Amino acid sequence: MLVPHEYAPVRSGHKIDFKAFTNISRRFRAELKTSLTESVMLFQEALGRDKFLLGGKGYGLVEMTSLGLPVPPGFVITTDVCKQYYGNGGSIPDGLFDQVRMKIAEVEAKTGKKFGGKESPLLFSVRSGAPFSMPGMMDTILNLGLNDETTERLAGMTRNEEFAYDSYRRLIQMFGKVAMGADAESFERILAHRKERAGAKMDIDLSPEDLKGVATEFKQVIKAETGKEFPQDPFVQLEMAVEAVLKSWNNERAKEYRKFYRISEALGTAVNIQTMVFGNFGQTSGSGVGFTRNPSTGEKKLFGEYLANCQGEDVVAGVRTPVGVDRIDSKIRAQLDEVAKKLEAHFKDMQDFEFTVEDGRLYILQTRNGKRTAQAAVRIAVEMSEEGLISSQESVARVEPEMLESLLHRRLDPTATDRPLAKGLDASPGAASGEVVFDTQEAAIAGMGRKVILVRTETTPEDIKGMIASQGILTMRGGMTSHAAVVARGMGKPAVVGCSEIEISPDRAFFTTKKGEKVQKGETITIDGTTGSIYRGQVRMVEPEPTPELMKLLKTADGIRRLGVWANADTPEAARQAREFGAEGIGLCRTERMFNAPNRLPIVRDMIMSKDEKVRKENLYRLFPFQLSDFKGIFSAMGGNPVVVRLLDLPLHEFLPPIEDLILEVQSQKEKGASSEEVEKTEAVLLRVRQLAEHNPMIGHRGCRLAVTYPEIYEMQTKAILKAAIELSKEGMERAEVKIMIPLVALAGEFRFLRGVVDAAAESTFRELGDRVPYQVGTMIETPRAALTASEIAEYSDFFSFGTNDLTQTTFGFSRDDVEAKFIPKYIEMGILAQSPFDSVDVGGVGKLVRSAVENGRRTKPHLEIGICGEHGGDPKSIAFFNDAGLNYVSCSAFRVPIARLAAAQAAMTTKTAAVTA
């Protein structure tokens, strides 16, 4: 898939209704009254204006004209007119067409032709042109100025009836649809019927008489459907065409496109009026599209397609199969090579240009920064830097960080045409195929020999074994920070969560989609965690292959960025993966993941079921060897880099079976005549689960609150952490930089007490082993109170790390898993939210808490190290904010580390530029 790369500068995400322009400030109203002289400009007059005024297409035409390229003459109606049009409630500004007529007169003088003239008619194309390319979203009309009389004269003058009437029927078809509102299908039916009667395979096979008949029928359709005649006056055509293009800025497809790419609604479109040149003049004519470099691979070689005897719309529409530019006339090909060199030398970027050949003469009709794949974007940026076209910093700025995601995960073949069965949330990128398995234990066993996709209503910590064995995870419920999503991202496994379009059968033998399609257990499916789509069968995939160009780009970025880039990793394998992607440390190692392993969960449950502190400690220390091994593995994988270990955060009931399962198990045991001891044991677990159950566990007895109640948990974990570091040091390994993090602190007193527990456990370990290692103790800032009282907490804390997932939930009062599915999409649609605060940090609310905590924490400790380890640590927009807020590092999933490296560099460049211009 070609990925747009040029939208970053203007992506407001806000929906603006142009009808509201009538109520905006007096200042803006005054601006709307400026002279129209600057609103209608010949290409040669507009040099020096930017694309926000001229639109992308107009800007390109103006620049190419200045370069002396063969651009047909014309003029631009600027985006200001579009703004005025909507500001006036959909009325053309007074005097606009007077200015247009003046510019037409100048084009007539230049071309020696007359608009509406009978002897040598001047024809125009009328095309839209927004500041950012929106291909096919707005409207175009070609051959404008033809009517019954001029078409007949054109046929005689050129001695080419086929050309003249083909151009006329195209005008009537485009104009009827775009400017008059006739049904496009009506025209297609007439054309298809005429070709069938004539035995013509393609449009170009129709005779002049057939084309005359088509034009007549087209006019009849317009009259029948609109009640109006096709206008014969060229100036009426022009006025209607200009207004139609302005209106097309607000058509549904354009609005959807802007919404998808977050292009501001306030930009408006320009209107480009350009002298027509004709690729449909015969076999020595044609139209094509060229790229100065290959948009798929980035190879420095002219790439494009050409179609003889056609107009440009035919190339894009695919009505006939074009040929590669290598197969066109050698003279034209040589000219295109020269054009490509000039365009790149001037625009300093890969260009996508449209051209027409009229009777052997080349014309360039448009140029813009070309869309490209992620692979091509990286290669083009690096090679242009090496060629001296752009600076190394500019090469870093050229690639949108999000584009790298498609390079770092196994992904679907972009040429595949499979139809999705259903769609959920794109929780963890990449693609995977495998047999559908609904049971965790079955997945764990089957996954040893076959590829499986674990399909669950939702996942819990008990599903970890099946998740590890699976190629990917699909859940009916859950949000972007649900268990399935977080674990899958940490593992680098594709995941689609919250897929409400499927329903798992009660016996877990199959699932059905909303469309009624049934997928049986054992049947192969493919999930695409990058888009959230699910497919039946095995869809073709391609493996990620980090290219040398990507490595060069990231190395350049590393020399620019200020922020450190760390990773979230819970296993040695994940830590090694993070280092391979360039992580400089581990910013979040979640220890609860370690408790969930199948050989440890029974011990954890014994600890939870313990009757007193003595037995609880005994069971807890049965976990010590496992924790010791875990930490040694992670420290070893990271060498001397920092590792932040978060002590246990989950509430205890998360490690016990769900209450519903236990109730069913008790009933089943009784029905099957199980022994009273078995029943009593299960009932005891059920009682304990009920005791631990909470109405809102997310803000309940978890994190540091659990440790204040049971300090022995953090004591054991601290001893395991520090013993692991000491043993590795004694074994000659590089000494780890140990950082112990206490979660969910809201009160300085909580942290002070638990720091005492950690420090006491550390001293006990050092005495026992006769050795010491440096360590730090810090806290996660994930509650509003912690952020607001950061100066107090900093008295005892060595570092801060923002847990922005929970900080966002507690600031908004949102439960992410609920709100993302229920109303956030509606809020975004209504403009209440510009985007989900879980995707990019809420600068206006959560961001203020972050800035306050940074400022107040460093007021207490000027050199306090501060990072972020929530999901936002891998989001480029959030990274820009964290850079500006003064954080030391961001930490994200391993697979987003390259994205964060690039985004941090771009943030540093933006900050530097702002400082210079301030």
Side-chain angles (χ1 to χ4, degrees):
M1 183 177 70
L2 296 182
V3 184
H5 80 292
E6 59 178 315
Y7 301 106
V10 179
R11 283 183 169 181
S12 71
H14 293 284
K15 187 173 286 186
I16 296 175
D17 182 358
F18 277 119
K19 292 180 181 178
F21 272 63
T22 54
N23 298 317
I24 56 180
S25 69
R26 290 180 180 176
R27 181 186 62 79
F28 189 70
R29 283 179 178 275
E31 290 177 3
L32 295 183
K33 294 179 181 178
T34 56
S35 170
L36 283 168
T37 304
E38 288 285 298
S39 297
V40 185
M41 291 182 280
L42 294 169
F43 296 157
Q44 60 267 33
E45 294 175 333
L47 188 62
R49 274 70 168 188
D50 62 30
K51 68 178 182 177
F52 293 100
L53 180 67
L54 301 175
K57 192 179 278 102
Y59 177 78
L61 290 167
V62 167
E63 294 295 311
M64 290 194 296
T65 299
S66 74
L67 292 175
L69 292 175
V71 176
F75 54 94
V76 182
I77 299 174
T78 69
T79 58
D80 282 350
V81 172
C82 184
K83 295 169 189 174
Q84 292 180 53
Y85 176 78
Y86 286 103
N88 292 338
S91 296
I92 294 290
D94 292 340
L96 174 66
F97 289 120
D98 293 334
Q99 288 293 318
V100 167
R101 285 174 180 260
M102 290 172 59
K103 299 305 176 187
I104 288 175
E106 295 189 56
V107 174
E108 288 173 336
K110 188 176 182 66
T111 61
K113 298 180 180 180
K114 183 77 173 174
F115 184 59
K118 298 176 182 178
E119 299 305 322
S120 185
L122 173 64
L123 306 181
F124 286 120
S125 65
V126 181
R127 307 171 79 184
S128 61
F132 296 101
S133 177
M134 296 171 56
M137 297 302 108
M138 292 181 290
D139 291 326
T140 290
I141 297 176
L142 304 180
N143 310 314
L144 193 126
L146 283 175
N147 56 27
D148 294 348
E149 185 177 4
T150 54
T151 302
E152 186 176 345
R153 294 243 180 189
L154 184 65
M157 183 179 67
T158 60
R159 298 180 182 178
N160 191 336
E161 276 193 309
E162 183 180 332
F163 151 69
Y165 283 97
D166 179 58
S167 299
Y168 193 30
R169 69 91 185 167
R170 289 173 184 269
L171 167 64
I172 300 168
Q173 184 172 359
M174 284 185 178
F175 193 92
K177 178 183 72 170
V178 172
M180 302 186 73
D183 183 8
E185 288 300 316
S186 299
F187 298 118
E188 293 299 333
R189 283 193 296 270
I190 290 170
L191 198 56
H193 182 61
R194 177 68 65 162
K195 284 191 288 188
E196 184 180 353
R197 281 170 49 193
K201 184 177 180 182
M202 294 180 289
D203 298 356
I204 59 171
D205 297 328
L206 291 173
S207 69
E209 290 305 314
D210 287 322
L211 291 169
K212 289 179 185 178
V214 168
T216 298
E217 290 185 70
F218 279 1
K219 286 185 287 184
Q220 290 170 351
V221 163
I222 291 173
K223 174 66 174 176
E225 293 191 1
T226 70
K228 298 176 182 178
E229 300 282 356
F230 171 79
Q232 294 292 309
D233 184 336
F235 283 96
V236 172
Q237 292 178 13
L238 182 66
E239 291 179 8
M240 292 176 68
V242 168
E243 184 162 14
V245 169
L246 294 174
K247 285 180 177 178
S248 72
W249 170 255
N250 253 4
N251 68 39
E252 286 306 311
R253 64 181 185 273
K255 289 193 286 187
E256 281 299 313
Y257 189 90
R258 291 196 293 274
K259 180 181 176 182
F260 183 82
Y261 286 111
R262 299 178 184 175
I263 299 172
S264 171
E265 295 280 347
L267 295 176
T269 183
V271 183
N272 300 281
I273 299 174
Q274 187 175 22
T275 302
M276 278 295 303
V277 288
F278 301 97
N280 60 332
F281 197 67
Q283 290 304 312
T284 58
S285 303
S287 296
V289 175
F291 293 84
T292 57
R293 303 190 188 214
N294 189 304
S296 295
T297 66
E299 181 186 6
K300 188 181 180 182
K301 181 182 178 183
L302 182 65
F303 176 91
E305 294 179 322
Y306 176 78
L307 195 57
N309 196 19
C310 81
Q311 292 197 333
E313 59 175 345
D314 298 339
V315 181
V316 178
V319 296
R320 287 187 279 142
T321 303
V323 298
V325 289
D326 288 336
R327 294 175 57 188
I328 65 177
D329 177 80
S330 59
K331 180 183 174 182
I332 298 296
R333 170 57 200 258
Q335 291 178 47
L336 289 173
D337 283 331
E338 284 302 310
V339 167
K341 289 177 185 176
K342 286 185 178 181
L343 289 176
E344 280 204 352
H346 183 75
F347 290 101
K348 313 293 186 186
D349 201 353
M350 186 266 275
Q351 294 296 292
D352 163 8
F353 62 95
E354 295 179 12
F355 64 94
T356 283
V357 178
E358 180 181 290
D359 200 19
R361 184 175 179 182
L362 176 68
Y363 295 92
I364 310 300
L365 307 183
Q366 174 179 331
T367 191
R368 59 191 174 196
N369 292 341
K371 296 174 181 61
R372 61 206 76 183
T373 64
Q375 177 186 346
V378 171
R379 180 174 176 179
I380 290 169
V382 170
E383 290 187 353
M384 281 191 167
S385 174
E386 293 173 344
E387 293 162 16
L389 268 179
I390 59 176
S391 68
S392 58
Q393 285 203 348
E394 179 62 23
S395 71
V396 169
R398 282 285 172 88
V399 180
E400 285 196 48
E402 295 97 331
M403 295 179 73
L404 299 188
E405 191 157 343
S406 65
L407 296 179
L408 303 173
H409 291 273
R410 196 164 183 249
R411 61 195 190 279
L412 296 187
D413 187 331
T415 65
T417 58
D418 302 68
R419 179 181 62 83
L421 282 172
K423 193 165 186 179
L425 297 175
D426 48 337
S428 184
S433 296
E435 298 173 17
V436 170
V437 175
F438 297 102
D439 180 78
T440 293
Q441 293 303 318
E442 185 178 348
I445 296 169
M448 290 188 287
R450 308 195 307 274
K451 292 184 177 181
V452 300
I453 301 292
L454 180 62
V455 182
R456 304 281 285 167
T457 302
E458 59 190 5
T459 65
T460 69
E462 288 185 279
D463 292 318
I464 190 69
K465 191 174 181 180
M467 296 175 75
I468 290 170
S470 300
Q471 300 296 306
I473 297 99
L474 168 62
T475 69
M476 283 174 52
R477 294 203 291 261
M480 298 294 278
T481 53
S482 64
H483 177 267
V486 172
V487 174
R489 280 194 291 269
M491 292 178 178
K493 288 183 183 290
V496 175
V497 304
C499 186
S500 58
E501 293 184 12
I502 67 168
E503 185 71 32
I504 299 173
S505 65
D507 60 357
R508 295 194 294 187
F510 59 88
F511 71 78
T512 54
T513 71
K514 277 189 174 179
K515 297 175 183 176
E517 296 178 271
K518 184 183 290 187
V519 177
Q520 300 284 350
K521 171 185 168 182
E523 188 173 345
T524 297
I525 63 169
T526 297
I527 64 170
D528 184 358
T530 305
T531 65
S533 296
I534 305 153
Y535 301 84
R536 189 188 296 274
Q538 185 163 337
V539 180
R540 291 193 310 276
M541 297 186 198
V542 290
E543 295 288 345
E545 294 181 7
T547 63
E549 290 83 9
L550 177 59
M551 297 300 102
K552 288 179 183 178
L553 185 74
L554 292 176
K555 185 176 180 181
T556 302
D558 291 342
I560 297 170
R561 62 183 167 88
R562 180 192 64 78
L563 278 171
V565 177
W566 300 6
N568 303 338
D570 311 327
T571 66
E573 294 76 21
R576 280 189 285 271
Q577 180 76 78
R579 285 195 74 180
E580 288 175 12
F581 281 128
E584 300 158 317
I586 299 299
L588 177 62
C589 175
R590 305 173 182 89
T591 55
E592 54 268 15
R593 302 278 187 265
M594 304 168 182
F595 281 27
N596 284 319
N599 59 343
R600 308 176 193 191
L601 198 55
I603 301 173
V604 176
R605 288 177 174 174
D606 287 344
M607 184 266 293
I608 295 171
M609 297 299 296
S610 300
K611 300 292 186 182
D612 54 48
E613 183 180 346
K614 179 176 180 296
V615 177
R616 185 166 57 250
K617 277 191 172 183
E618 288 174 356
N619 284 318
L620 184 63
Y621 274 84
R622 288 167 59 197
L623 294 168
F624 185 87
F626 296 113
Q627 290 269 271
L628 179 64
S629 174
D630 293 331
F631 296 133
K632 287 184 73 172
I634 290 172
F635 292 155
S636 176
M638 291 307 295
N641 292 302
V643 178
V644 179
V645 181
R646 184 180 73 185
L647 302 181
L648 187 67
D649 185 30
L650 286 181
L652 292 180
H653 79 269
E654 291 275 357
F655 298 101
L656 295 173
I659 192 167
E660 297 87 354
D661 291 357
L662 288 168
I663 292 170
L664 291 173
E665 187 176 348
V666 169
Q667 291 175 344
S668 176
Q669 287 176 337
K670 289 179 178 179
E671 290 170 0
K672 293 178 179 178
S675 66
S676 57
E677 291 81 5
E678 284 184 272
V679 174
E680 287 173 5
K681 184 177 180 180
T682 306
E683 286 179 331
V685 176
L686 176 59
L687 177 62
R688 185 62 171 146
V689 169
R690 282 176 166 153
Q691 291 171 342
L692 294 173
E694 296 177 298
H695 291 295
N696 195 337
M698 196 273 289
I699 54 174
H701 196 202
R702 53 168 280 221
C704 70
R705 304 158 190 171
L706 182 67
V708 169
T709 309
Y710 304 112
E712 56 270 20
I713 297 174
Y714 283 9
E715 174 191 276
M716 183 276 289
Q717 290 190 294
T718 299
K719 289 181 176 181
I721 291 166
L722 295 174
K723 185 174 182 179
I726 290 171
E727 287 189 358
L728 282 177
S729 182
K730 287 181 176 179
E731 292 169 10
M733 302 287 288
E734 200 170 357
R735 176 172 287 180
E737 186 180 332
V738 178
K739 297 174 180 286
I740 298 171
M741 185 159 67
I742 297 171
L744 210 68
V745 166
L747 300 160
E750 290 173 322
F751 187 84
R752 183 177 64 246
F753 170 75
L754 290 172
R755 167 128 207 182
V757 171
V758 170
D759 287 342
E763 289 303 318
S764 172
T765 302
F766 296 157
R767 285 194 301 272
E768 178 188 337
L769 299 178
D771 199 357
R772 313 178 67 86
V773 291
Y775 71 96
Q776 291 183 329
V777 185
T779 185
M780 289 186 82
I781 303 294
E782 47 191 334
T783 67
R785 194 180 193 283
L788 293 169
T789 60
S791 59
E792 299 172 23
I793 297 172
E795 291 182 26
Y796 311 101
S797 183
D798 297 325
F799 65 88
F800 286 169
S801 182
F802 288 100
T804 52
N805 300 336
D806 278 354
L807 185 58
T808 299
Q809 291 192 94
T810 52
T811 300
F812 275 90
F814 284 171
S815 168
R816 180 173 185 178
D817 286 354
D818 294 323
V819 303
E820 280 198 316
K822 290 183 177 175
F823 65 81
I824 280 186
K826 183 68 174 178
Y827 272 36
I828 294 171
E829 181 183 339
M830 295 174 65
I832 295 172
L833 284 172
Q835 60 199 345
S836 169
F838 299 105
D839 292 340
S840 289
V841 71
D842 164 47
V843 175
V846 175
K848 287 183 179 178
L849 290 174
V850 169
R851 288 188 186 277
S852 172
V854 171
E855 181 182 339
N856 292 322
R858 287 183 177 153
R859 185 176 293 128
T860 300
K861 285 186 178 173
H863 301 294
L864 184 69
E865 183 179 65
I866 304 176
I868 180 265
C869 61
E871 292 281 313
H872 296 111
D875 169 58
K877 289 184 180 178
S878 301
I879 288 169
F881 167 76
F882 296 132
N883 180 78
D884 187 60
L887 271 64
N888 298 96
Y889 67 86
V890 296
S891 186
C892 55
S893 64
F895 288 90
R896 293 195 71 83
V897 165
I899 295 169
R901 290 165 66 188
L902 184 59
Q906 293 180 356
M909 289 191 293
T910 301
T911 300
K912 185 177 180 181
T913 301
V916 170
T917 56

